[in-house]
Amino acid sequence: MPPAPAARAKLLDAFVTILLEQGERAATLEAVAATAGVSKGGLLYHFPSKDALVGGLAEHVEALGAEDVERMRAAPEGPAAYYIRTSVFADTPIDRAIVALTRLSQTANPRAQQALRHIHQGWFDALAEEVTDPAAARAVALIGDGLYYGAAMSGETSTTPPEDVDELLKVVRKLIGPND
């Protein structure tokens, strides 16, 4: 079996893949171990239960979300433009993990729901640093969420053409105003 961090990441990736391709019911411990190419004992070493596996995925998504918030805050064009531009599904590791966690959230999994609320709050907090009007910050967040949801619903990556994103950014600039 690979070293611990690599094996853990491999198991989480297998869990995400099964959730995306087959759904939560198919994401048994046996299926995750088989997909990752490790023994069930190897899986149980890292994740002693399915709840622990969900917890590991939630922690992973929260870490990816925190990294994204830092990129958002450091973006030259500002957090709002970054949020809109990156709200198109691109099948990145964070995109895949968020959609997988969303599937768990839809089955009323409290840890998945908590993680999704946590990362969304991080993005909103970064938006609110730039967009001082709370209603405008919520509107920007909802525009980004809508882009992401639309792409995720289509099952394809980047279904929103760049020129459409540019048009939405013009609307966002009007919404947040020159002084925000």
Side-chain angles (χ1 to χ4, degrees), residues 137-174:
R138 280 191 303 276
V140 172
L142 289 169
I143 290 169
D145 292 350
L147 279 169
Y148 195 82
Y149 179 75
M153 288 272 302
S154 75
E156 299 176 15
T157 60
S158 299
T159 58
T160 306
E163 57 274 8
D164 288 358
V165 173
D166 290 339
E167 289 297 317
L168 283 172
L169 282 171
K170 289 178 187 175
V171 171
V172 166
R173 284 186 205 94
K174 287 179 189 176

Side-chain angles (χ1 to χ4, degrees), residues 59-132:
E59 290 171 13
H60 178 64
V61 170
E62 288 172 330
L64 291 172
E67 292 169 8
D68 194 54
V69 166
E70 290 310 310
R71 284 189 296 277
M72 190 174 170
R73 286 187 169 117
E77 61 183 345
Y82 176 91
Y83 189 73
I84 297 301
R85 288 200 190 282
T86 60
S87 289
V88 292
F89 185 85
D91 203 30
T92 63
I94 191 171
D95 288 338
R96 292 174 51 78
I98 288 171
V99 172
L101 203 60
T102 300
R103 294 213 174 145
L104 292 170
S105 175
Q106 291 168 338
T107 63
N109 184 291
R111 182 61 181 104
Q113 292 169 337
Q114 176 190 30
L116 290 170
R117 280 191 305 271
H118 182 253
I119 62 170
H120 198 269
Q121 187 64 52
W123 288 322
F124 183 79
D125 290 347
L127 282 172
E129 291 167 11
E130 176 186 14
V131 184
T132 56

Side-chain angles (χ1 to χ4, degrees), residues 14-15 18 22 25-38 40 43:
F15 187 42
I18 293 169
Q22 301 172 43
R25 288 188 179 177
T28 64
L29 294 178
E30 293 81 5
V32 171
T35 301
V38 301
K40 186 173 179 186
L43 170 99

